[in-house]
Amino acid sequence: MALVHKLLNGSYILRKGLKPSVAACPFLSTRSADYCSSSLQKPVATPGKASTQRTAAGGLQEDQREVSFDKAIKDEIKEHFRRLKDEIVNHWIGPEGRPLQEIILEQARVVWQFRGKEDLDKWIVTSDKTIGGKSEVFLKMGKNNQSALLYGTLSSAAPQDGENSQSGYCAMISRIPRGAFERKKSYDWSQFNTLYLRVRGDGRPWMVNIREDTDIIQKTNQMYSYFMFTRGGPYWQEVKIPFSKFFFSNQGRIRDAQFQLLLDKISSIGFTLADKVDGPFFLEIDFIGVFADPAHTEEFAYENSPVLNPRLFK
Amino acid sequence: MRDYGVEKDLAVYNLLLDVFPKEVFRPRNVFQKIFVHYPRQQECGLAVLEQMENHGVMPNKETEFLLVQIFGRKSYPMLKFVRMKLWFSRFKNINPFPVPRDLPKDPVDLAVLGLRHIEPDLSARVTVYQTASSKDSTGTADPTQQHIVGIQSPDQQAALARHNPARPIFVEGPFSLWLRDRCVYYHILRADLVPPEEREVEEIPEEWNLYYPIQLDLKYGRGGWDDYEFDIDEVEEGPVFAMCMAGAHDQATLAKWIQGLQETNPALAQIPVIFRLTGSSGELLASSSGLEEPSPPPPQEQEEEEDHTQRQQQGQS
């Protein structure tokens, strides 16, 4: 992430440096990284000398911080190139690095599992604190590192800022998978038709949102959602939601023109709790997977009505 | 409207809409139809309908007639009414575990409802071990007895009878369960997972029933290549033997529950029972840690930070 920050704030010389081909890049990028590290300190004529002078003259803390910053950048560059190499090599083996026959015959796939701390890093947790509300939400590993626990307190006290009249939501969203150089990748679930969740909740109704790939700017606020009702209790609950049941909404409002969710470019999934009931809540998730239910033949559950969309029925 | 307790009453909303003058806001010629006629009033109508939507009140024919009279058929409130009718009727029955709208006031009834809600086995029996002493002649708000309601299914009873007395069983809780907008707490009686080497597989001899096979090993996939299993080991947890909901969460009340359970499960007398009581809205404790001291349950009105630190203190493996 440090490299991205620097690339975004760096000077124009970096952009010139990245244009040549990938093969010549390693040499250029390390040099540009040096320039970059010194440019943030203070503008000097000789970048290389300045950084060494500062390391000699500065205190021990600054020394350590500076060295680790450079090292972090180099590590990150290596990481990005490793990812790029993986992508190119995996392309020869098959999609996503698994052989083609495995992908074609696969009928049930585990997409997110919660068995370690690195699995938790794939998720972002938000609440209405961003708009000034008072709900809190936390995410941590459950018992024995076998599940993830999302817990917190919901409070629907509206923020007194004159803009929002309602409040009270908590959400857990998955991060968009990134490839080499922080390119956005998407999931391809076109051979599956049902979402499978193994959860243990406390009786509250949650909302599952799926967002598609956001390359087109209009798609950033569009999502497909459906409800997930938890039973509560000490037993694990399997929730199967077919993708044909997801309804379309834009900017938080259900739209009149409904179309089915297309599964070839999914970028993220999220769980939201906004049931207007104040109090503590928790949700334990074991894993999230997709599978192809052979008994489910419905394509889309919602018809468009001619009253609301006369244009579709001309 | 919440102050008067009528936010879910459709008649009140109809009366509110009745306040609008009837034929004034309807567009009369094509110019009025193009531009939004009386926009502020339409927004006001929309706000009433939005509150109806927030509280989940389904509008009816009277609302439709009122809206047509007030705003006309092509107005925004009418459009919102059509959308509400459509989406509410689509989502009315999607809850696979429905909870009745009017929850019972009696805590024992509520506990029975909650226990039946979380127990998937329909042959489970609910027993009321103790009712709250509300029939006191003194009428003070100092209940010496709290209600204790327990549930156990015959499978759980059999499993408890088979349980090895050398391994302790734990009373864990309280866990929160939300029924619409009421939160109840329940405790469970469970044992730790038996390590695979000690697990005994029950073998049913083949001559047990001559009329039909007890074990049938059919594969229901469409072909040999069908594999609908997920490539992950599911979380395994120890068996749950019984559940209860009690008014108080201290050890004395739960001990009474265990005594009540002993009447139907005589094997429980030999098995050591350990109480693992944590804060509210907690998760089940780590099962691999050894015998833990029972901790006093904190009060329910606890801040989140205290909960968090307490959980950290009790620790996880």
Side-chain angles (χ1 to χ4, degrees):
Chain A
M1 262 353 256
L3 180 63
V4 174
H5 174 74
K6 289 215 147 156
L7 285 174
L8 290 174
N9 299 344
S11 58
Y12 66 98
I13 300 229
L14 269 180
R15 267 182 243 138
K16 272 206 245 166
L18 282 174
K19 268 191 205 144
S21 63
V22 177
C25 217
F27 175 66
L28 274 171
S29 61
T30 42
R31 213 176 41 157
S32 58
D34 281 339
Y35 183 92
C36 207
S37 66
S38 56
S39 72
L40 276 183
Q41 288 151 27
K42 67 182 175 188
V44 279
T46 54
K49 254 196 224 169
S51 55
T52 46
Q53 269 174 2
R54 274 193 68 97
T55 50
L60 197 59
Q61 266 186 348
E62 285 175 5
D63 185 17
Q64 278 179 351
R65 217 187 298 148
E66 203 180 299
V67 164
S68 62
F69 209 14
D70 274 343
K71 185 170 174 303
I73 295 172
K74 288 203 179 78
D75 280 342
E76 208 162 313
I77 294 170
K78 278 189 212 142
E79 166 75 22
H80 282 305
F81 279 108
R82 188 189 62 83
R83 280 193 218 170
L84 186 66
K85 182 207 65 150
D86 281 341
E87 272 177 36
I88 296 174
V89 166
N90 287 342
H91 196 65
W92 286 108
I93 305 176
E96 295 158 33
R98 295 153 74 199
L100 189 64
Q101 58 264 29
E102 209 183 284
I103 297 261
I104 286 183
L105 292 179
E106 195 178 33
Q107 275 156 336
R109 185 191 293 182
V110 176
V111 192
W112 285 281
Q113 57 183 16
F114 297 97
R115 297 286 183 265
K117 270 270 174 323
E118 61 276 359
D119 294 322
L120 283 188
D121 289 334
K122 293 187 194 153
W123 294 81
I124 307 177
V125 168
T126 47
S127 75
D128 65 352
K129 279 217 163 97
T130 49
I131 57 170
K134 293 198 201 73
S135 328
E136 300 174 331
V137 61
F138 310 98
L139 176 68
K140 66 170 196 177
M141 289 303 292
K143 54 155 201 161
N144 280 345
N145 276 2
Q146 293 277 339
S147 55
L149 178 69
L150 178 74
Y151 65 97
T153 323
L154 196 70
S155 146
S156 53
Q160 311 282 338
D161 57 357
E163 211 182 288
N164 302 307
S165 61
Q166 302 169 49
S167 168
Y169 72 89
C170 300
M172 174 164 122
I173 312 162
S174 74
R175 285 189 205 265
I176 304 176
R178 302 276 178 171
F181 303 108
E182 306 289 331
R183 277 185 312 136
K184 279 195 237 187
K185 290 201 292 195
S186 58
Y187 298 102
D188 179 7
W189 295 338
S190 31
Q191 69 226 64
F192 306 108
N193 69 356
T194 319
L195 182 71
Y196 179 97
L197 305 144
R198 191 153 192 259
V199 297
R200 179 162 59 186
D202 53 349
R204 292 227 200 195
W206 290 75
M207 193 149 153
V208 181
N209 310 318
I210 296 186
R211 305 183 74 148
E212 288 197 321
D213 197 13
T214 52
D215 273 340
I216 308 174
I217 195 80
Q218 282 85 356
K219 281 200 175 178
T220 42
N221 292 323
Q222 297 174 358
M223 61 188 185
Y224 293 80
S225 357
Y226 198 63
F227 305 99
M228 171 174 85
F229 292 96
T230 51
R231 191 184 199 144
Y235 302 111
W236 283 97
Q237 180 191 352
E238 302 175 346
V239 179
K240 293 185 201 170
I241 308 179
F243 288 119
S244 62
K245 293 249 187 254
F246 280 82
F247 57 84
F248 175 73
S249 63
N250 184 353
Q251 298 233 342
R253 301 264 180 191
I254 303 184
R255 292 290 147 168
D256 295 333
Q258 289 286 330
F259 195 68
Q260 67 178 79
L261 166 65
L262 295 172
L263 294 156
D264 52 345
K265 271 187 185 248
I266 307 269
S267 79
S268 71
I269 197 174
F271 301 97
T272 312
L273 176 69
D275 64 346
K276 310 183 194 82
V277 174
D278 295 342
F281 65 89
F282 73 92
L283 181 77
E284 254 188 276
I285 313 177
D286 180 11
F287 70 92
I288 299 171
V290 285
F291 77 105
D293 192 355
H296 188 79
T297 46
E298 192 186 34
E299 287 213 358
F300 189 52
Y302 309 109
E303 315 177 306
N304 288 308
S305 87
V307 177
L308 290 171
N309 307 41
R311 264 183 260 161
L312 285 178
F313 287 85
K314 283 241 173 79
Chain B
M1 277 169 95
R2 210 172 268 216
D3 299 330
Y4 290 101
V6 292
E7 72 265 11
K8 296 214 166 96
D9 199 354
L10 178 59
V12 177
Y13 287 107
N14 284 340
L15 286 173
L16 268 180
L17 281 177
D18 218 359
V19 173
F20 282 103
K22 292 297 176 295
E23 298 285 333
V24 182
F25 305 139
R26 289 175 73 161
R28 228 154 274 167
N29 50 29
V30 68
F31 299 106
Q32 287 176 349
K33 279 187 204 145
I34 294 174
F35 300 102
V36 178
H37 200 52
Y38 282 102
R40 281 265 160 256
Q41 283 78 356
Q42 287 202 13
E43 277 172 28
C44 189
L46 278 178
V48 175
L49 284 172
E50 199 166 318
Q51 176 143 358
M52 255 207 269
E53 183 188 15
N54 278 341
H55 291 290
V57 179
M58 177 88 180
N60 66 355
K61 279 201 173 317
E62 200 186 322
T63 326
E64 182 182 358
F65 188 60
L66 276 169
L67 284 174
V68 168
Q69 267 190 325
I70 300 168
F71 291 110
R73 201 163 275 282
K74 299 276 187 176
S75 58
Y76 286 113
M78 196 58 209
L79 208 54
K80 184 173 173 77
F81 169 82
V82 173
R83 284 187 192 125
M84 271 167 81
K85 235 178 27 166
L86 180 69
W87 291 104
F88 276 18
S89 44
R90 273 178 183 165
F91 294 142
K92 201 170 160 70
N93 296 320
I94 52 170
N95 193 348
F97 315 112
V99 179
R101 248 247 172 122
D102 304 313
L103 289 170
K105 298 264 180 340
D106 185 21
V108 176
D109 285 339
L110 189 64
V112 171
L113 183 74
L115 284 174
R116 281 245 174 258
H117 187 80
I118 55 182
E119 176 61 59
D121 196 345
L122 287 172
S123 55
R125 267 177 299 114
V126 178
T127 27
V128 180
Y129 294 108
Q130 209 175 280
T131 49
S133 57
S134 54
K135 303 176 191 106
D136 265 353
S137 53
T138 49
T140 52
D142 178 42
T144 45
Q145 303 182 58
Q146 295 284 344
H147 66 275
I148 305 174
V149 187
I151 191 171
Q152 197 183 34
S153 73
D155 288 338
Q156 288 170 340
Q157 230 176 338
L160 189 53
R162 275 199 311 260
H163 185 78
N164 186 0
R167 310 188 70 89
I169 56 178
F170 307 98
V171 174
E172 287 179 6
F175 303 108
S176 57
L177 171 73
W178 284 90
L179 296 164
R180 280 216 184 243
D181 52 350
R182 301 264 297 268
C183 184
V184 288
Y185 296 92
Y186 63 94
H187 297 259
I188 60 179
L189 183 72
R190 71 130 37 102
D192 274 341
L193 198 58
V194 182
E197 50 271 3
E198 290 179 32
R199 245 174 257 182
E200 37 177 69
V201 180
E202 225 184 284
E203 288 188 17
I204 307 174
E206 279 195 27
E207 298 84 18
W208 193 66
N209 190 332
L210 294 169
Y211 293 103
Y212 49 86
I214 296 293
Q215 274 174 334
L216 206 55
D217 207 7
L218 290 179
K219 287 198 148 214
Y220 289 104
R222 286 174 297 172
W225 58 86
D226 265 340
D227 175 27
Y228 295 111
E229 305 285 326
F230 284 98
D231 195 14
I232 189 173
D233 298 322
E234 290 182 345
V235 175
E236 279 192 13
E237 288 177 2
V240 174
F241 293 125
M243 292 188 272
C244 90
M245 281 198 195
H249 303 141
D250 56 330
Q251 205 161 323
T253 330
L254 294 171
K256 282 194 205 152
W257 170 50
I258 302 283
Q259 279 166 11
L261 263 184
Q262 271 179 0
E263 290 159 29
T264 45
N265 304 288
L268 195 52
Q270 276 90 38
I271 308 177
V273 176
I274 300 180
F275 289 84
R276 269 197 204 154
L277 305 169
T278 67
S280 62
S281 78
E283 78 279 17
L284 298 173
L285 281 181
S287 55
S288 60
S289 56
L291 294 175
E292 270 182 326
E293 285 173 318
S295 59
Q300 283 156 27
E301 304 84 35
Q302 219 185 15
E303 287 137 13
E304 197 54 47
E305 298 92 278
E306 251 186 67
D307 244 355
H308 198 57
T309 47
Q310 247 224 352
R311 233 176 268 121
Q312 275 175 349
Q313 278 166 22
Q314 272 145 15
Q316 271 187 325
S317 62

